[in-house]
Amino acid sequence: MPLAPDLVHRVDRLLAAPGGRRVLGITGAPGAGKSTLAAAVAQAFAGRCVVVPMDGFHLAQRELERLGRADRKGAPDTFDAPGYVALLRRVRQPVDGEVVYAPEYRRDLRHGVTGAIPVPADVPLVVTEGNYLLLDRDGFGPVAALLDESWFVQPAEDVRLERLVARHELFGKAPEAARAWALGPDQRNAELVSATRGRADVVVPLG
């Protein structure tokens, strides 16, 4: 997906501003297209951008089961929010020659993999994407202040739901179970995320 010209302009403006590395946050409800948009930014600014997803800080499935939270995986308290905040603080203050390593979430393994995403010190733009970048609870409160700009992705609701169900099916859920999860735990999280829309710098109606 090519990046829209107005969004290219916004990133160009971010990179032209003084002050070193910039952090762009892309947020929205589950299935909104955050990863797709982040990938489009990375493609448009190849060599100058690294994508660091919030999902790498998912608590492992085994830990969620121990805590009794596996039935609502994806809720704010099923992430290591303080760990995510600590990583953003590190990437905002790059040290010459130092590579910061971020985790990556593996849906096939149902947990994050540490050290999967290198962020070299000379990369001028870090794009981070996830549901709760603008949430002010469950440990995510500091995130908004660590972003130089935030985009809220909001497609049509039927499009978002269709994508979400298809993703759940792709990773092993039966069609009925996929739709039940999308309309149950995912929908509760979507409503929580939608309430943060007003804190974003721009709303992207991704089709």
Side-chain angles (χ1 to χ4, degrees):
M1 181 191 84
L3 192 63
D6 60 321
L7 298 180
V8 172
H9 175 70
R10 295 188 76 96
V11 177
D12 279 333
R13 188 173 60 188
L14 268 181
L15 290 172
R21 172 177 284 165
R22 296 300 178 191
V23 180
L24 168 64
I26 298 177
T27 191
K34 300 179 293 295
S35 299
T36 299
L37 184 55
V41 175
Q43 182 178 18
F45 293 87
R48 295 191 285 164
C49 172
V50 174
V51 177
V52 175
M54 185 200 84
D55 276 0
F57 290 87
H58 254 300
L59 298 181
Q61 184 70 19
R62 184 169 62 181
E63 178 64 2
L64 292 176
E65 291 168 359
R66 186 187 72 82
L67 294 169
R69 302 175 190 173
D71 61 341
R72 52 191 181 84
K73 186 173 185 176
D77 65 343
T78 64
F79 291 85
D80 174 18
Y84 177 54
V85 169
L87 178 76
L88 290 181
R89 286 176 173 150
R90 285 186 69 194
V91 300
R92 277 201 67 85
Q93 302 291 334
V95 175
D96 286 346
E98 180 183 77
V99 178
V100 175
Y101 287 94
E104 174 186 54
Y105 184 69
R106 288 278 302 275
R107 294 185 184 277
D108 55 334
L109 300 177
R110 299 198 298 174
H111 61 69
V113 176
T114 61
I117 302 172
V119 186
D122 60 351
V123 171
L125 177 67
V126 170
V127 176
T128 186
E129 56 92 2
N131 294 345
Y132 303 121
L133 274 55
L134 302 179
L135 193 68
D136 59 1
R137 49 173 266 201
D138 293 296
F140 288 98
V143 173
L146 296 170
L147 307 175
D148 293 290
E149 183 162 299
S150 57
W151 298 355
F152 190 98
V153 185
Q154 186 166 7
E157 186 64 11
D158 59 336
V159 172
R160 184 188 70 82
L161 182 59
E162 181 181 343
R163 287 178 185 158
L164 195 54
V165 172
R167 186 171 73 193
H168 288 318
E169 290 181 9
L170 179 63
F171 287 97
K173 281 186 168 61
E176 299 81 2
R179 182 162 292 274
W181 190 275
L183 294 173
D186 281 341
Q187 185 59 32
R188 289 191 290 274
N189 297 335
E191 291 167 3
L192 187 62
V193 173
S194 294
T196 71
R197 169 182 163 169
R199 303 183 71 188
D201 294 298
V202 64
V203 176
V204 181
L206 197 64

